[in-house]
Amino acid sequence: MTSEQTFVIVGASLAGAKAAETLREEGFDGRLVLIGAEHDRPYERPPLSKDYLRGEVGRENYVHGDGFYADQRIELRLGRTAVGLDTSAGVLTLDDGEELSYDRLLLTTGAEPRRLEIPGAGLDGVHYLRTFGDSDALRERLDRGGALVVVGSGWIGSEVAASARQRGLEVTVIDPVSVPLERVLGPEVGAIYGEIHHDHGVRMLMGTGVEAFEGGGAVERVRTSDGQTLDCDFVVVGVGVQPRTGLGVQAGLAVGDGILVDERLQTSAPGVFAAGDVASHAHPFYAERIRVEHWANALNQGPAAAHSMLGGARVYDRLPYFFSDQYDVGMEYTGFASAWDRVLFRGDPASREFIAFWLAGDRVLAGMNVNVWDVTDPIERLIRERVAVDDRRLADPDVPLEQLSPQGSSR
Ligand SMILES: Cc1cc2nc3c(=O)[nH]c(=O)nc-3n(C[C@H](O)[C@H](O)[C@H](O)COP(=O)(O)OP(=O)(O)OC[C@H]3O[C@@H](n4cnc5c(N)ncnc54)[C@H](O)[C@@H]3O)c2cc1C
């Protein structure tokens, strides 16, 4: 039955490639087309701001080996962009005019960096970071040394700043917030990251924005909103990403902050699904929509969407998880906290080995382990089981996390 069907995936990155893999694993033997605007076969992006950017590793981060797609009879169309979608006819149009009829469609079009629209935004030497090509250009710039200004102290900005310092460059980070990563982690934990960067010699210019880039042809200076002028050799802008919803909007799908999908990752059009950075998902655990811009979400939602494409009824209810590496500080964050009433530490943050918990009342919303490993399962259980925790025991490293969760203690 399925052997006569055509399934099409738009977006050949982590979510799309994992979905294609799962479709074959689950026995889909019809025509399977994976379309990607980039010219590289699907790859993972985390190394692009870390060891790949620093030149410590080569292109080892492809999702699958070279022969995988041919072996699996996955028609990989690289350098092709889907430009039109008619969901009532079930037809997708590519940029070369080809029309593809599909029985099921998955949109894994991801996200793209938000661009700054300020004077000098088009000068040479103003970099953004999303693709292999972006990372290669930046890596070449790091090789030449000099002074870098990083605009934005979120994950990308913080990781690029760390990598550039590790390569010995002079680095200034600018952001209107008061501490790096404040929007996600809040002031207490953001301040710890501020100290880490400070200790590594990064100049943190917080509480001010960027007014303009100046220079003759290439950027030479950054003018801040509080009137300072910073000389630089190049700039990296990391001010967040926006979901690539264009195809969904054009097709009349329900779109908000991302393409809206239900608990099974189906869009407002039957037979059309979305996953990864682009999907605004009705999350059953949170009973609200969330859009997660992280590696593990793409890794897991791709396969979950594939199951739904095959008619599966399973809902996607994994808790968000992400990681970051800066200098010798590695962390994992589990859960989702947009508002909390306090942050509690297990271990001394000054030692850079600790767990931070975000709480509302006696419930844990999220936990972040920093240079402490193998604790994401018990942290996830505390959140998922909505365990009522005692602050003193939660903060005490001598009380195993498993003992705080009724389920965990019996395992
Ligand atoms: C530098 C960097 C470092 C990161 N580090 C971390 C990290 O440490 N930890 C973490 O958890 N996450 C990290 N992430 C985030 C993680 O990489 C993303 O969440 C993940 O890539 C999302 O995968 P995706 O498949 O949903 O979309 P994307 O990776 O954005 O891929 C979407 C693909 O679809 C293609 N596309 C879009 N529109 C079309 C169209 N119309 N036709 C054809 N193709 C199209 C795009 O060209 C792109 O290749 C990092 C991201 C970057 C950029």
Side-chain angles (χ1 to χ4, degrees), residues 174-220:
I174 306 182
D175 198 311
V177 296
S178 58
V179 292
L181 298 161
E182 184 172 353
R183 288 179 196 90
V184 195
L185 303 180
E188 301 91 340
V189 182
I192 298 168
Y193 273 96
E195 282 162 23
I196 291 167
H197 284 290
H198 185 262
D199 290 354
H200 285 85
V202 176
R203 181 177 174 209
M204 303 299 289
L205 211 56
M206 309 310 286
T208 187
V210 173
E211 198 85 352
F213 301 128
E214 298 174 345
V219 65
E220 294 165 25

Side-chain angles (χ1 to χ4, degrees), residues 44-380:
E44 304 191 7
R45 301 186 196 275
L48 305 189
S49 51
K50 307 178 185 74
D51 47 2
Y52 182 82
L53 176 63
R54 295 192 297 272
E56 294 163 9
V57 295
R59 294 192 168 201
E60 295 160 7
N61 47 321
Y62 289 107
V63 180
H64 296 108
D66 204 5
F68 173 84
Y69 300 95
D71 289 350
Q72 296 293 316
R73 292 183 301 108
I74 298 167
E75 293 176 37
L76 183 59
R77 306 278 188 86
L78 296 177
R80 288 266 73 85
T81 302
V83 294
L85 172 58
D86 180 342
T87 58
S88 45
V91 174
L92 184 78
T93 308
L94 305 191
D95 52 357
D96 59 359
E98 181 181 354
E99 294 195 336
L100 276 170
S101 295
Y102 63 81
D103 295 285
R104 297 276 184 282
L105 178 72
L106 174 60
L107 300 174
T108 49
T109 48
E112 62 198 339
R114 257 193 215 110
R115 304 266 154 184
L116 277 185
E117 290 183 12
I118 57 172
L123 288 172
D124 281 351
V126 176
H127 293 258
Y128 290 81
L129 179 54
R130 186 77 191 175
T131 64
F132 260 146
D134 297 338
S135 188
D136 289 340
L138 201 51
R139 177 169 163 170
E140 191 266 326
R141 210 49 211 76
L142 294 187
D143 287 343
R144 285 193 266 150
L148 164 65
V149 171
V150 177
V151 180
S153 67
W155 297 111
I156 297 289
S158 294
E159 290 188 352
V160 168
S163 287
R165 273 309 294 152
Q166 286 171 279
R167 291 294 314 277
L169 281 83
E170 195 186 303
V171 181
T172 305
V173 175
I174 306 182
D175 198 311
V177 296
S178 58
V179 292
L181 298 161
E182 184 172 353
R183 288 179 196 90
V184 195
L185 303 180
E188 301 91 340
V189 182
I192 298 168
Y193 273 96
E195 282 162 23
I196 291 167
H197 284 290
H198 185 262
D199 290 354
H200 285 85
V202 176
R203 181 177 174 209
M204 303 299 289
L205 211 56
M206 309 310 286
T208 187
V210 173
E211 198 85 352
F213 301 128
E214 298 174 345
V219 65
E220 294 165 25
R221 287 173 305 281
V222 174
R223 192 149 45 78
T224 68
S225 44
D226 62 358
Q228 302 183 60
T229 302
L230 310 170
D231 289 338
C232 66
D233 296 298
F234 63 113
V235 166
V236 175
V237 180
V239 292
V241 295
Q242 56 194 23
R244 282 201 200 86
T245 55
L247 206 53
V249 171
Q250 180 259 315
L253 301 181
V255 171
D257 171 38
I259 296 177
L260 306 192
V261 292
D262 65 13
E263 297 186 342
R264 291 174 54 247
L265 302 167
Q266 182 167 259
T267 69
S268 56
V272 179
F273 299 80
D277 277 16
V278 77
S280 172
H281 171 229
H283 199 292
F285 181 79
Y286 294 107
E288 64 175 298
R289 287 195 171 280
I290 59 172
R291 190 174 65 75
V292 180
E293 297 165 350
H294 292 299
W295 173 88
N297 183 64
L299 182 78
N300 295 312
Q301 271 192 355
H307 283 284
S308 294
M309 291 167 86
L310 292 168
R314 222 181 300 159
V315 302
Y316 182 83
D317 69 349
R318 276 180 181 260
L319 300 187
Y321 162 91
F322 64 88
F323 60 91
S324 175
D325 296 310
Q326 296 167 45
Y327 313 102
D328 53 356
V329 181
M331 70 73 128
E332 298 171 290
Y333 179 106
T334 307
F336 171 69
S338 53
W340 54 88
D341 53 43
R342 67 198 184 287
V343 176
L344 209 83
F345 292 101
R346 165 180 278 243
D348 179 8
S351 72
R352 312 258 152 96
E353 279 184 25
F354 64 93
I355 307 176
F357 292 100
W358 287 259
L359 294 111
D362 57 7
R363 304 297 145 113
V364 176
L365 304 175
M368 182 176 98
N369 45 301
V370 177
N371 287 346
V372 173
W373 306 109
D374 300 323
V375 290
T376 53
D377 285 350
I379 292 174
E380 178 169 340

